[in-house]
Amino acid sequence: MASDDRFSMTTEKYLARHQVLVYMEDAVAQLLEHREENSKINPIKFLCEYFNSVRDGNHTMFREYSYIHATPHNRASFVRLFWKCYRQIGKKGDLLSIQEYHSLLSLLCSDFPFEPVQKTAKIILLDDALDCLISFSDFIYAFQVQFYFEEFIEKSHEMYQSLHQTQRSPRDPVVVPSGSDDTKVHQNSHHPGDGVDATQYFRAIYPLCDRSNFSTPPVNVLKEILFNIPRVSFYGFLMAIAKSERINEHIGRLPSKAELLEGADADLTV
Amino acid sequence: MADKKKPNSADDRPQETDRQFLERYSIGTLMKDVLGKIVSNRPKDPITFLSDYFDSLEDQSNLVLKARNIIEMTHHSRPVFEMNVRQAYDIMLKQKVGKRLYGVNGTSYTDLIKTLCRDMPQPVTTKLLKKIECLDYEAITFDVFKSGVFTCCVLQDYVKLCEMLFNSLDFQSSGKVDKILSDVVNEQLKAALANTRTDARKIVEAGYNLGPDGLFYALERGMRSKSQLGGQTLEQFTIEICDAFLSKVKRLR
């Protein structure tokens, strides 16, 4: 497309595509922050080191959540940082709870919220029993997808729900609330044999991939996932994305599953 | 374009101090400058551009390096390339060449050419310099400067194409190309470029010889010859293929 050529697109679009202003503003903010600690600072050198670390993906450690969340590059770099710091857990084969994974994340980012971790668990456990223990390998690929494609996942969930509504069968149980307070009905929103028509779902979410200002998975991978099965459940769909090696390569920060635990040793090397 | 916002610092010192600090080092001007350069040069990767920019800014001493970085900010086909070459020349004019004498002489010109060609095999650079070199003490005018720099940039593109050609000929991915194939390709290239006349028929002929059909027949003939001449590495291949380019470079004198 002509407008995709970086020379013919508008200035705003070009700058937005690479989030140039985000990084330049953050660079100045960081410069001012570091000035307080070190009065003999050389601004040019600092700026050079700042952009070097952004370029190399080493810029997210101990930064606040809003910065880590701000750009796709930051999110992907943070996932990679998590992998480098904690891969020996994978090697030891320990299974951890989501609270423990959240604590690990908080060590690298003090204000990291719990919600993304919860959503990650939903993907792995297919929306059931959230106090299961999870392996490192399962966690990191699901977390990568949840964090990197956060907005896409939200939007596709909305589409899934609206599609599902139109297909609701009249034989579904209708819960009539009784007078007493202690009736608890477990609404299991995961219907294994149910879901929606896969091709229809693809047609619903495919427009998201064209004009979005958030990251989306490549369309051909979505086709791969959705064209080979007649029906799909939402969390089955997300799990397929999380397990997809092609999506992992598309993001390009984590090694493949076979090589995930290589290079991990007892010392914490980053 | 959005205004450049200076972020509010959370400290309890008066705002003046931060602003004074930023003014002292002209950070505002610096940022505006680099943003302007990014917008006009449209680098593929602005982040790398920014780190290279501040890197070269730090290293104030080497004018040749500064000039080179400016020349390489964008591709030579872009309109802003000419402005960048002008700016590079102005920077190199500050070089001291004698007692109270400043300007671009043969030495710094040659240094610039060499550093622009740093990714090419040494023999290629040597041959190029034989064509466009200037004596150490000669004053270099902007025209000479511009033409030399432009030749280097086009040669950089050519060397990249050589590598792509090498990779296609190396269909076994062994790191070496059959010398027979390399010779055939070289012959075709030289034959196509040998014509100095702008005769339409000759141009069409040259196009055919370098197109899929012409190349196929030539390569097939070569493969059938069955002689074993060994393999060539990328460097040897590049050196030979560059001969065709360099033969077209006009000698300076």
Side-chain angles (χ1 to χ4, degrees):
Chain A
M1 255 200 306
S3 59
D4 270 355
D5 170 33
R6 70 184 188 272
F7 293 108
S8 45
M9 60 171 74
T10 63
T11 307
E12 285 83 7
K13 195 169 175 195
Y14 172 75
L15 291 176
R17 161 96 41 116
H18 295 106
Q19 272 109 0
V20 176
L21 294 177
V22 170
Y23 290 112
M24 285 181 68
E25 283 177 17
D26 186 67
V28 177
Q30 288 290 293
L31 174 64
L32 290 174
E33 231 178 81
H34 279 73
R35 177 172 83 93
E36 289 156 39
E37 294 160 30
N38 179 8
S39 54
K40 286 215 179 117
I41 198 168
N42 175 353
I44 306 286
K45 187 159 182 205
F46 179 86
L47 290 170
C48 180
E49 280 169 8
Y50 175 87
F51 287 109
N52 280 347
S53 75
V54 173
R55 177 197 63 196
D56 299 336
N58 296 330
H59 58 303
T60 54
M61 200 190 239
F62 303 143
R63 291 301 306 268
E64 65 280 11
Y65 179 70
S66 54
Y67 179 69
I68 294 176
H69 190 259
T71 71
H73 174 60
N74 288 7
R75 294 186 199 180
S77 304
F78 184 73
V79 172
R80 185 177 165 85
L81 177 69
F82 184 85
W83 167 65
K84 280 211 245 175
C85 289
Y86 298 124
R87 56 185 159 174
Q88 70 264 37
I89 294 176
K91 208 156 192 192
K92 280 161 67 183
D94 289 342
L95 300 181
L96 302 180
S97 69
I98 52 172
Q99 286 79 8
E100 288 173 302
Y101 281 116
H102 179 250
S103 304
L104 292 179
L105 285 164
S106 306
L107 288 176
L108 299 175
C109 167
S110 51
D111 58 345
F112 202 93
F114 190 65
E115 206 184 329
V117 186
Q118 214 163 27
K119 290 188 177 164
T120 303
K122 273 192 179 173
I123 298 177
I124 302 168
L125 305 167
L126 296 177
D127 197 30
D128 271 340
L130 295 183
D131 42 9
C132 275
L133 298 182
I134 302 171
S135 77
F136 179 77
S137 160
D138 283 344
F139 179 78
I140 200 165
Y141 287 112
F143 177 66
Q144 172 175 249
V145 153
Q146 167 59 42
F147 197 40
Y148 194 78
F149 295 122
E150 187 179 280
E151 297 87 353
F152 171 79
I153 288 178
E154 214 175 284
K155 288 262 163 6
S156 15
H157 196 199
E158 281 168 21
M159 306 219 158
Y160 178 85
Q161 282 171 324
S162 68
L163 204 59
H164 199 248
Q165 293 285 16
T166 64
Q167 294 176 19
R168 178 150 282 174
S169 141
R171 290 192 301 277
D172 277 355
V174 176
V175 177
V176 180
S178 68
S180 60
D181 288 325
D182 51 349
T183 30
K184 284 190 182 123
V185 179
H186 173 56
Q187 277 286 347
N188 188 355
S189 56
H190 172 62
H191 306 273
D194 207 3
V196 298
D197 180 86
T199 321
Q200 244 189 318
Y201 188 49
F202 173 78
R203 278 203 287 270
I205 60 177
Y206 156 77
L208 283 177
C209 300
D210 216 9
R211 310 164 247 271
S212 317
N213 46 11
F214 47 80
S215 313
T216 54
V219 174
N220 48 0
V221 184
L222 291 179
K223 276 190 193 165
E224 225 175 73
I225 293 174
L226 292 173
F227 278 8
N228 291 325
I229 41 174
R231 303 190 74 77
V232 68
S233 70
F234 184 63
Y235 287 101
F237 170 62
L238 292 186
M239 196 47 171
I241 296 182
K243 285 193 148 58
S244 161
E245 181 54 39
R246 288 178 63 183
I247 297 246
N248 186 38
E249 276 167 21
H250 170 75
I251 300 176
R253 301 306 172 93
L254 292 179
S256 65
K257 191 154 183 194
E259 292 153 25
L260 188 68
L261 303 173
E262 266 168 45
D265 51 21
D267 302 321
L268 187 74
T269 46
V270 177
Chain B
M1 232 158 60
D3 286 324
K4 277 293 293 113
K5 287 177 276 237
K6 296 221 167 77
N8 288 321
S9 73
D11 66 356
D12 45 18
R13 269 180 274 165
Q15 202 77 327
E16 309 308 294
T17 320
D18 273 346
R19 192 145 281 164
Q20 281 173 346
F21 172 79
L22 293 173
E23 266 168 25
R24 182 152 56 100
Y25 288 101
S26 322
I27 300 291
T29 324
L30 188 65
M31 286 305 193
K32 276 192 216 140
D33 274 348
V34 77
L35 193 58
K37 291 209 162 70
I38 289 178
V39 168
S40 48
N41 284 285
R42 304 281 170 112
K44 227 175 181 178
D45 181 9
I47 301 296
T48 310
F49 182 93
L50 280 160
S51 39
D52 288 342
Y53 183 84
F54 287 112
D55 207 10
S56 71
L57 220 56
E58 230 204 316
D59 190 9
Q60 300 280 351
S61 52
N62 197 334
L63 295 175
V64 169
L65 227 47
K66 275 187 85 168
R68 182 198 83 190
N69 284 333
I70 290 177
I71 290 168
E72 289 183 338
M73 279 201 302
T74 195
H75 192 252
H76 59 79
S77 61
R78 306 297 311 167
V80 82
F81 177 76
E82 173 137 6
M83 267 174 57
N84 292 348
V85 176
R86 179 87 237 182
Q87 203 187 356
Y89 185 73
D90 288 339
I91 285 179
M92 285 185 56
L93 280 177
K94 300 190 191 134
Q95 184 86 29
K96 187 164 191 184
V97 292
K99 233 194 250 182
R100 285 181 290 179
L101 198 61
Y102 296 87
V104 184
N105 65 359
T107 321
S108 40
Y109 171 72
T110 309
D111 283 343
L112 179 64
I113 300 292
K114 281 192 186 152
T115 183
L116 279 169
C117 298
R118 66 198 178 287
D119 291 329
M120 301 177 206
Q122 185 58 40
V124 172
T125 317
T126 317
K127 282 188 204 159
L128 175 67
L129 280 171
K130 281 212 183 85
K131 293 256 176 139
I132 63 172
E133 72 183 336
C134 298
L135 297 170
D136 284 351
Y137 56 80
E138 284 185 298
I140 311 292
T141 60
F142 179 65
D143 289 328
V144 172
F145 181 85
K146 188 169 103 165
S147 119
V149 165
F150 183 68
T151 309
C152 283
C153 292
V154 178
L155 185 55
Q156 277 178 350
D157 281 354
Y158 187 84
V159 168
K160 283 197 196 107
L161 287 171
C162 280
E163 187 169 342
M164 280 167 61
L165 182 58
F166 180 86
N167 288 332
S168 350
L169 288 175
D170 180 18
F171 46 86
Q172 288 163 333
S173 301
S174 61
K176 284 198 168 190
V177 158
D178 243 325
K179 182 113 187 9
I180 306 167
L181 296 180
S182 149
D183 285 345
V184 165
V185 166
N186 220 351
E187 283 306 315
Q188 292 291 95
L189 207 52
K190 288 208 170 103
L193 292 176
N195 292 305
T196 47
R197 290 157 55 198
T198 46
D199 181 10
R201 188 171 143 256
K202 292 282 181 188
I203 292 178
V204 170
E205 228 179 77
Y208 175 78
N209 281 331
L210 292 175
D213 287 341
L215 260 185
F216 174 76
Y217 288 125
L219 286 170
E220 207 199 16
R221 276 199 306 274
M223 299 274 283
R224 268 191 269 131
S225 73
K226 284 199 197 248
S227 43
Q228 286 289 6
L229 293 177
Q232 263 191 336
T233 60
L234 174 59
E235 186 167 322
Q236 293 163 326
F237 181 76
T238 309
I239 295 170
E240 286 204 10
I241 298 288
C242 280
D243 270 348
F245 179 91
L246 292 168
S247 65
K248 287 284 170 180
V249 175
K250 269 196 275 224
R251 221 170 233 290
L252 205 51
R253 53 183 97 246

